[in-house]
Amino acid sequence: MKKIYLFFAFSILFLNFTACSDKDDPDPNPAPESKVDYGVFIVNSGNMYSNIDGSLGYIEFGTGDIFQNLFKEANDNATIGDTFNSGYIDGNYIYLAVTDSKVIHVIDRTTFELVKTITTTAGPRQITSYNGKIYATLFGQPGYVVEIDPSTLEITRTIEVGPLPEYIVPFQGNLYVAVSDGYGDGSQASITVIDPSSFNVTRKITGIVNPVNLVTNGNQLYVCSNGQYLSEYPYTQYNYGVYEIKDNTLSEKLCEATYISIRNNKLYYMDASYSYGEEHNYYYGVLDTKNNTSSKWINSEDGVDFPIALGVDPIKGEVIILSYELGEGGYASYSTPGYAKRYTGDGQLIGKYTTGVGPTNMFFNVAE
């Protein structure tokens, strides 16, 4: 009886141990937890002339937390490089375009650890995706668009598009590229259309000066021109604004703006045009894309010192404005941290957040 009891007791102990092990032992390969869930990544370009590297920041909408230097902290204090210009999320990867360093960093979407650095022949400017491929503009004279295979992270095709291309967006089966010719005489400025199947340029839409920002809601396509600058003091910016591209033809100018972002039938815009040494009168508006009529969105006296970028959250419609801080003499400070202001879609301020140096762009982290 003693032997039977001992065996029975051992059997119960073994069964309990096994059951606890199956239930409570940690997964040997757990999925990493991310610092971010739903919010916006901030592209801080840094200041190359002051030897200040770019950085990747993030505002978490649920908690209001802001994180700085995500790339640096995840990669043994490695720097992003000179003139970090934009970012793009596709699948498990985030692509970071660093213009003056001529690289595209590919990082893990969850851990921000570097997966690969793609070296380019000219400075990568903006990134998008279409039909399972990644596309990036290369800011040069001449300028190019490259295609990247996300399965190998190799450049597979390259095409010349014209001098100094900026934004690129897919629209109705084609890729549209804003070729700015920003440093030239403007004669080669265009919206260049690429057939992604053949990877050939099929047309160039002309009649616009210094096109930079392209946005689409899927049904409509808009372009923002940064116009021109007087060659003498006060170097005032002029001939800038927003146009719709319809049937590969430019509309009349719809409003004066220097930056745009779109969600559904609302195109948010700001007029932060430049005039050296003169008082700035910024304007923030919203264009109803159903009838292309515009109205004021928030007051210019709202406390944004030197707005540089604007973006709208594609899910909730919240709007982010990025700005430089006010520096000495009343000018923008290009070598100190800037800030972001976050608004509801109808213009109510939610919060203000300190960013890195040179907050010049953003991209949203939303559920797929």
Side-chain angles (χ1 to χ4, degrees):
M1 291 293 294
K2 187 175 181 181
K3 289 182 179 179
I4 295 173
Y5 176 79
L6 288 174
F7 177 77
F8 180 75
F10 179 78
S11 299
I12 295 295
L13 180 63
F14 178 78
L15 288 173
N16 286 340
F17 179 79
T18 304
C20 289
S21 296
D22 288 343
K23 182 177 181 181
D24 298 333
D25 276 6
D27 185 342
N29 297 296
E33 293 185 3
S34 178
K35 292 182 179 180
V36 303
D37 180 32
Y38 173 52
V40 61
F41 287 98
I42 305 298
V43 174
N44 301 298
S45 64
N47 187 321
M48 185 174 64
Y49 302 104
S50 298
N51 295 316
I52 301 173
D53 291 308
S55 64
L56 179 64
Y58 185 82
I59 300 170
E60 175 61 43
F61 287 165
T63 61
D65 292 336
I66 184 163
F67 301 95
Q68 310 285 4
N69 296 310
L70 291 177
F71 180 90
K72 188 174 184 178
E73 290 179 358
N75 294 286
D76 297 324
N77 287 322
T79 60
I80 286 182
D82 292 330
T83 318
F84 177 25
N85 197 77
S86 67
Y88 186 81
I89 299 175
D90 183 75
N92 295 323
Y93 293 150
I94 301 176
Y95 297 80
L96 308 177
V98 190
T99 303
D100 285 301
S101 292
K102 297 181 182 179
V103 296
I104 298 172
H105 294 306
V106 185
I107 62 175
D108 184 275
R109 181 174 181 173
T110 300
T111 66
F112 316 118
E113 292 177 354
L114 184 64
V115 177
K116 184 174 182 177
T117 294
I118 303 170
T119 302
T120 56
T121 57
R125 200 72 167 177
Q126 301 291 336
I127 302 173
T128 193
S129 64
Y130 178 72
N131 203 23
K133 302 293 184 183
I134 302 296
Y135 297 93
T137 55
L138 302 187
F139 193 75
Q141 296 175 292
Y144 299 89
V145 168
V146 294
E147 178 187 80
I148 299 170
D149 185 340
S151 66
T152 62
L153 299 178
E154 297 286 344
I155 294 175
T156 51
R157 295 190 288 183
T158 303
I159 186 170
E160 184 178 334
V161 292
L164 307 176
E166 294 273 5
Y167 273 74
I168 177 171
V169 298
F171 180 69
Q172 296 183 349
N174 292 297
L175 297 170
Y176 284 73
V177 184
V179 178
S180 69
D181 192 18
Y183 300 155
D185 60 8
S187 62
Q188 297 186 69
S190 71
I191 308 300
T192 295
V193 186
I194 299 172
D195 175 4
S197 298
S198 65
F199 214 53
N200 290 324
V201 172
T202 58
R203 66 183 68 87
K204 285 182 176 285
I205 303 168
T206 58
I208 188 169
V209 178
N210 196 10
V212 174
N213 195 192
L214 282 165
V215 298
T216 180
N217 57 9
N219 298 314
Q220 294 163 285
L221 178 65
Y222 292 86
V223 58
C224 184
S225 160
N226 269 3
Q228 300 159 286
Y229 300 84
L230 294 177
S231 59
E232 298 178 350
Y233 181 86
Y235 313 109
T236 302
Q237 189 174 356
Y238 68 100
N239 199 21
Y240 59 91
V242 179
Y243 305 80
E244 184 179 5
I245 302 170
K246 191 172 184 179
D247 299 325
N248 295 307
T249 302
L250 287 172
S251 71
E252 297 293 322
K253 185 188 293 186
L254 301 174
C255 58
E256 291 191 331
T258 54
Y259 209 93
I260 57 177
S261 187
I262 197 169
R263 176 179 180 265
N264 298 334
N265 64 335
K266 289 185 176 181
L267 184 147
Y268 293 88
Y269 66 92
M270 66 182 187
D271 179 354
S273 56
Y274 180 81
S275 186
Y276 183 80
E278 295 190 352
E279 183 178 352
H280 297 278
N281 295 306
Y282 304 122
Y283 183 84
Y284 305 91
V286 59
L287 182 80
D288 185 341
T289 63
K290 292 182 292 186
N291 50 29
N292 282 340
T293 57
S294 62
S295 58
K296 181 182 285 189
W297 176 57
I298 61 172
N299 293 322
S300 59
E301 298 82 14
D302 194 54
V304 181
D305 296 300
F306 290 95
I308 189 62
L310 171 148
V312 56
D313 165 19
I315 302 301
K316 293 184 178 180
E318 294 182 354
V319 179
I320 303 292
I321 296 176
L322 303 179
S323 176
Y324 295 112
E325 283 282 6
L326 187 67
E328 294 182 5
Y331 298 104
S333 175
Y334 298 108
S335 58
T336 58
Y339 61 87
K341 281 201 167 184
R342 176 182 168 200
Y343 299 85
T344 63
D346 60 3
Q348 300 301 309
L349 180 65
I350 298 173
K352 180 180 178 181
Y353 311 83
T354 300
T355 67
V357 175
T360 53
N361 213 331
M362 71 195 81
F363 55 105
F364 290 86
N365 183 47
V366 298
E368 295 182 339

